[in-house]
Structures are given as structure tokens and as C-alpha cells.
Amino acid sequence: MPQILTPDLVVLDADLGADKEAVIRSLAARAAGTDRVADGDGLAAAVLEREALTPTGMGAGIAIPHCKSAAVREPSLAFARLSPPVDFGAPDGPADLVFMIMAPDGAAETHLAVLSRLAGSLIDEQFTDALRAASSQAEVVALVEDVVADRDESAAAPVAEGARSIVAVTACPTGIAHTYMAADALKAAAERAGVRIDVETQGSSGTKRLDPAVIAAADAVVFAVDVDVRERGRFAGKPYVQVPVKRGIDAADALIQEALGHADNPSGPRLAGGGASEAATTDSGTRSLGGTVKRALLTGVSYMIPFVAGGGLLIALGFLLGGFRITEVAGDVIVQNTLLNLPEGGLGQYLGAVLFSIGAASMGFLVPALAGYIAYAIADRPGIAPGFVAGAVAGIMDAGFIGGLVGGLLAGLAAWWIGTWRVPSWLRGLMPVVVIPLLASIFASGLMVMLLGGPIAALMAGLTGWLSSLTGTGAVLLGLLLGTMMAFDLGGPLNKVAYGFAVAGLGAGSPENLSPWMIMAAVMAAGMVPPLGMALASTLDRRLFTPAEQENGKAAWLLGASFISEGAIPFAAADPLRVIPAAILGSAATGAISMAFGVTSQAPHGGFFVFFAIGNLLMFVIAIAVGTVITALAVIALKRWARRSPAAEVAAEPALVAA
């Protein structure tokens, strides 16, 4: 068994500072003095970033700050028994026992399982009492080694025959501590209530899926989660309760009784297909409709991108090999010719026709895939077929990208609603396979054909005509707007809207209508600036950045060059109020320059690596260089002279991470 705690990482009855940040930094510095941690500052930053999401004070005088970080070489613990205690955000007061759990980004499941056993043991009062009574560092190490020793996880206290049965899923953002503490708390509560329980921990040490037969036999389901449940549709039809993972620890007995109460109440909540709408449900009800729609749209765009990226690059290669007129002959060329029977244009024309045709087929899935996966995000698998059909109908009606958004939302909401119907047991098996896809398709696609498709198509035609007419100042202002959107949330909703808008029009571009290609170039160039700007800034003035950020800066060069805006997220997460404005300045300038000089891109992704698909390549490079320098100088100036507000930044961090 791997040793995770050593005497040099144990501090007894020490004053490590007046607040939790001081305690975390002190323990990180101690860990950095061993060969287990490469960078103490990077470790502290990662733990504090996790702490900003949800306080790790667990109550009863215990705190478990934790993280997964590249600064950690080996899964480890640092333990402090504090005197005086320090506030870690628990409702019942400060903590005197602090376990800092440190895991590498790529920790093996064996090591993470050891950490999970420790996390689960922290709800055992005998263990925590022994820690408070320990007289030496070696005694603390021995206590910890005993509770993390291999044991039979499947062993459970006997339950009376005929007892009621519950299944549960626990999950937290890092999957290290809260996930397993909630699981153990629920198991203990079920034992006290005489209820059988089987828990699936969706954590970092791997997920052992619940047996379908166990799920089928369960009276109710408990979700104690801060993230979406994987394959939620497995629990369809079951009474359920869903709460944040901390309530699974603090109120396990109440959750068991609440779940059983729902099972006894025919009108109580029941799981439908298991999409994003249900994933948003908590003990306080559902989150806003806007939040659900936002998550669904982001899911649709994320699943759509591979179709677009691959298809767009193939089309660009087809133009490169076969010329722009390949669009007129590609179909005939691939049907009438082979490698042994080349067309008059030779091998180049044949390969260009092949690549263009494959790319066009891939791009043809743009709107159906967008609509299909929006519906999937809302209603899980029963929503996929109605969503794809609604997207295809949007294409038939020339409703385009906006039609796909509307069709996907309609299909998803219809599928989700139909999935909530109470039906006889003999019909339940047919609901997700036949009934829901049939009725949801009729509803969503019928509305698109008979009512919504025409107006949306007219809107799209007007928007396309307006964009095609933009020149001069109008084009520059559009570039400013697109650049701002690309940098505002670095892969979040606004970024995805701008990118989706650009790729949706890519297929309409031509030598006679360059506007869609100009928009694509402006979006791609602007999206490359934030990571490149952070890379340059961390090179020009390393003192302003932590060692972890300096390492991230090295990686950001390649990420930015590849058009991966998310390369700037580590910088923005640590300092959003200075990084985001600087990124917006640079990206907006780049978007404006790109549009002003008529830069075009026939490829939807790839950055500098698709240079062959860029029109006016020199100005593309210059626009990116100007934006990169603006962002770098702006963030350096803000870090040097703008006063930092820690409270404001902590408040901003969860929103950024959620985006």
C-alpha cells in the first residue's frame, strides 16, 4: 500500500496563521520541502482555487482543503492540529484538524482510492478523537495508515430481509474528498435506518457502476452531487432526491428519510430521461430556465464542433487541390472517376473533389448535430432523434443555425416533458425507444414546418444579406464585437455563440461572397489572442506570475497558435479582474484589424496550422501579433498598478469556472 503521510508532513498544536489561506500556504510550503511536491506556490494556488468554489470546512472541527495539481508529484497528505482553530467556512465554527489532500493530475486509481478511504474515515468520531489525543507525529501517521489500509469495500452490515432499498450517487468537482465522505455518511445513515443502500462514487479513483438489477430493485435514488450524474438515464422512473454533495455529508439521515418519503408518495418527483434539466435540480428546486438553456446550447455547440472542424478543413484542402470551381464538378468527378481513371484535371482535381465531397458531407451535419445534442442535453438519449430530425427540417426550411437552436430546444423540451408522463409498466420500455422520439419529433419538426421555419428563414436571409453588405466602418465594428465576445469568457457561452455564428455561415462563403470567410477569420484570430497574450506577458515579466503560471505560459504558446482560447483560463481563474479586460482589449483589436483588411479563412479551426486556408495571411499574422502585444502589455500594467480586490476575485472565480 502506498504511504501517503509521513512524519515531516504532520504539524501538532501549531499556530499556522489567522486565516485558512495562511494555513494552506504553510502546509504547501512544508510539502514543497519534500520530494512529493514540485512547486509549493503552485500547490497553494490550486488548493485556494478549489477553496474558492466551495469552502472545505466539514463541521465538527474538521477541514479538508484539497486539489489535483501538476505541482504534486505523488499523492500525499499534510496534517495540522491547529491551536488556535481557524475558520474554514463550516457553519458550526472553526477547524482544529486540517487534512490537506494533494493529488497529481494523473494520479493512479490505486493512490486515489487510498485518499478516498481517508476522506470517508473523517466522519468517524473515534478516528478524529484519536487524532486530537495523539501525542506524536508518528502516532498520527500510524492512525492514518490504519484507516487507509486495504479493506473489503463491499462488506456491509446485515440488513433485515425485506428491508427497503436505496441507491445513491455521490460526486464533487475534484472527486477526491467530498465524494467519498458523502458516500460513507449515506451508508452509515442507511445502516441506522435499517435500509439497504448501494452507492456509486463518481470520483477520481474510478467509478464502479451500480448493477442494473440493483437499480431496478431500489425504492428510491439519492443524488448527492455538485456535477452532472454520468448516465443519469439508468435511473429513469425512480423516486429521487438531489442535493449538493455537502448535504450528503451533513444531512445524510434526513436524505434517507426524504428519499423513502418520495417513494411512498405517488405524486412525488420521479426521474425522467435524465438530461440537463434534471441535473439542475437541487433540494431547493430547479435552477433558472436561463441556466438550463445555456448549458444545453453549450452542449450542442461542443458536439457540433468536430463535424465542423473536420469538414471545414477537408473543404479547404479540396479548394487547395481542386480550385474554387471544384464545387461545381465534385459530384460528377467522384462518381465518374477513380484513381485508375482520372478526370481531365488530373490527380489534383480528383483528390480535391474527394476531399471537398467528404468535407461537405461532414458540414451537412452542422445544424442537425447542433439541434440533436441540444435536445440530448435537455432530455438525454430520448432527445437525440427528435433533435436531429428538427435540425434536418431546419435545413430543409433554410432556417439555418438559428433554426437548429430553436428546433433543438423544442425537441429537447418536448422529449423531457413526455418522459415525465406516468405510464403503465408495460409501456415504460417503449417510451425512450419509440414513444418519446415519435411524439417529440412530430411536435418539434411539425412546428418548424408549419409555423416557425418560414419566419426564421426570412430572418436568416436578412441577416446574411446585411453581413454581406458590410464594408468599411461597419465591418470594423463587427470585428470589434466578435473579438470582444471571443475573449469575454474564454470558451464560455459568449465565446461559443460567436464561434457558432461564424462556422454556421462558413458554407455560404465563395469568391463572390467573402463576408462569411472574413467573419470566420476574425473569430479565429481573436480567439488566438488571449492565450498568446498570456504567454507573452509571462515571458516579459515573470515576477508577476506564479511558477505554475509560468509553466502554463509555455504551454499557452502552442494552445494559442492552435486556436484554443481555453489556454488562457488558468490565468483568468487566478486573476479574472485583470486578465479578462486585457484579453478583451487585444482580441477586439485583432478582430477589427482582420475585418478591416479583408482577411479570410475557409477553415473553422486550426490557427496558424491552417495557413493554406487563410486569405491575406500576412495581415492575419499582423492582426494576431498586434492583439497579442496589446493583451500582454495591458495585463502587465494592470498587475503592476491596478489594486487587487481578493474578495471580488473570489466571487468572480466560480462564475468563470462554471462558464
Side-chain angles (χ1 to χ4, degrees), residues 3 29 41 48 61 140 173 176 222 233 252 267 319 419 526 591 633 658:
Q3 187 176 34
D41 289 338
L48 290 169
V140 170
I176 296 176
V222 173
S267 61
F319 285 143
L633 295 181

Side-chain angles (χ1 to χ4, degrees), residues 61-234:
I62 301 168
I64 50 166
H66 56 278
C67 73
K68 292 178 71 176
S69 170
V72 181
R73 293 193 180 108
E74 181 180 350
S76 306
L77 300 172
F79 171 77
R81 192 169 68 197
L82 300 177
S83 180
V86 171
D87 183 14
F88 272 77
D92 63 349
D96 64 321
L97 299 182
V98 178
F99 269 105
M100 192 161 83
I101 304 177
M102 304 167 283
D105 278 339
E109 288 189 9
T110 302
H111 293 79
L112 289 169
V114 172
L115 295 179
S116 73
R117 287 197 289 271
L118 169 78
S121 298
L122 292 177
I123 66 169
D124 183 347
E125 290 186 6
Q126 289 185 337
F127 176 53
T128 54
D129 288 345
L131 289 173
R132 290 188 172 98
S135 59
S136 67
Q137 295 168 315
E139 187 176 350
V140 170
V141 172
L143 287 168
V144 171
E145 292 299 314
D146 181 59
V147 300
V148 301
D150 292 333
R151 64 178 187 256
D152 182 4
E153 301 288 350
S154 63
V159 178
E161 186 176 349
R164 309 195 69 177
S165 172
I166 288 176
V167 291
V169 176
T170 61
C172 65
T174 54
I176 296 176
H178 294 74
T179 298
Y180 302 98
M181 294 180 72
D184 279 15
L186 288 169
K187 290 175 183 176
E191 183 178 341
R192 289 191 291 271
V195 174
R196 175 183 173 84
I197 190 168
D198 292 270
V199 183
E200 179 177 305
T201 52
Q202 296 184 354
S204 293
S205 64
T207 299
K208 186 175 181 181
R209 288 165 47 91
L210 289 167
D211 188 324
V214 171
I215 297 174
D219 295 296
V221 183
V222 173
F223 294 132
V225 295
D226 286 338
V227 295
D228 286 348
V229 176
R230 302 170 197 164
E231 299 182 77
R232 188 185 181 92
R234 294 175 290 158

Side-chain angles (χ1 to χ4, degrees), residues 43-57:
L43 170 61
V47 175
L48 290 169
E49 181 179 341
R50 171 63 186 86
E51 195 75 22
L53 295 177
T54 308
T56 54

Side-chain angles (χ1 to χ4, degrees), residues 43-452:
L43 170 61
V47 175
L48 290 169
E49 181 179 341
R50 171 63 186 86
E51 195 75 22
L53 295 177
T54 308
T56 54
M58 307 311 300
I62 301 168
I64 50 166
H66 56 278
C67 73
K68 292 178 71 176
S69 170
V72 181
R73 293 193 180 108
E74 181 180 350
S76 306
L77 300 172
F79 171 77
R81 192 169 68 197
L82 300 177
S83 180
V86 171
D87 183 14
F88 272 77
D92 63 349
D96 64 321
L97 299 182
V98 178
F99 269 105
M100 192 161 83
I101 304 177
M102 304 167 283
D105 278 339
E109 288 189 9
T110 302
H111 293 79
L112 289 169
V114 172
L115 295 179
S116 73
R117 287 197 289 271
L118 169 78
S121 298
L122 292 177
I123 66 169
D124 183 347
E125 290 186 6
Q126 289 185 337
F127 176 53
T128 54
D129 288 345
L131 289 173
R132 290 188 172 98
S135 59
S136 67
Q137 295 168 315
E139 187 176 350
V140 170
V141 172
L143 287 168
V144 171
E145 292 299 314
D146 181 59
V147 300
V148 301
D150 292 333
R151 64 178 187 256
D152 182 4
E153 301 288 350
S154 63
V159 178
E161 186 176 349
R164 309 195 69 177
S165 172
I166 288 176
V167 291
V169 176
T170 61
C172 65
T174 54
I176 296 176
H178 294 74
T179 298
Y180 302 98
M181 294 180 72
D184 279 15
L186 288 169
K187 290 175 183 176
E191 183 178 341
R192 289 191 291 271
V195 174
R196 175 183 173 84
I197 190 168
D198 292 270
V199 183
E200 179 177 305
T201 52
Q202 296 184 354
S204 293
S205 64
T207 299
K208 186 175 181 181
R209 288 165 47 91
L210 289 167
D211 188 324
V214 171
I215 297 174
D219 295 296
V221 183
V222 173
F223 294 132
V225 295
D226 286 338
V227 295
D228 286 348
V229 176
R230 302 170 197 164
E231 299 182 77
R232 188 185 181 92
R234 294 175 290 158
F235 306 94
K238 292 291 180 182
Y240 77 108
V241 57
Q242 178 163 333
V243 297
V245 70
K246 267 191 99 170
R247 278 213 62 202
I249 302 169
D250 302 336
D253 293 284
L255 290 179
I256 297 296
Q257 296 306 317
E258 185 176 354
L260 293 176
H262 288 330
D264 294 333
N265 180 8
S267 61
R270 296 291 190 276
L271 282 159
S277 296
E278 288 176 353
T281 303
T282 67
D283 56 332
S284 60
T286 57
R287 297 177 186 171
S288 68
L289 176 63
T292 299
V293 170
K294 181 188 81 173
R295 285 188 296 275
L297 295 180
L298 288 178
T299 299
V301 172
S302 296
Y303 279 101
M304 175 196 77
I305 285 174
F307 290 96
V308 174
L313 288 171
L314 286 166
I315 289 174
L317 287 169
F319 285 143
L320 179 67
L321 295 176
F324 286 111
R325 298 187 65 84
I326 197 67
T327 58
E328 302 171 8
V329 298
D332 292 335
V333 168
I334 64 171
V335 171
Q336 299 173 7
N337 299 275
T338 67
L339 284 172
L340 302 177
N341 177 30
L342 294 174
E344 292 182 3
L347 181 62
Q349 185 186 45
Y350 179 70
L351 293 179
V354 170
L355 294 174
F356 175 84
S357 299
I358 298 172
S362 180
M363 288 289 287
F365 285 100
L366 188 157
V367 176
L370 173 69
Y373 287 108
I374 288 174
Y376 165 74
I378 295 172
D380 205 43
R381 281 181 292 184
I384 291 180
F388 265 86
V389 173
V393 169
I396 294 171
M397 300 294 294
D398 291 326
F401 182 67
I402 296 177
L405 295 177
V406 174
L409 290 171
L410 289 173
L413 291 171
W416 171 80
W417 177 62
I418 295 167
T420 64
W421 294 357
R422 298 187 183 282
V423 298
S425 58
W426 60 266
L427 187 56
R428 287 176 188 167
L430 293 175
M431 289 293 289
V433 179
V434 177
V435 178
I436 295 177
L438 172 65
L439 297 182
S441 295
I442 292 173
F443 174 78
S445 297
L447 278 178
M448 287 298 298
V449 171
M450 295 185 289
L451 186 63
L452 300 175

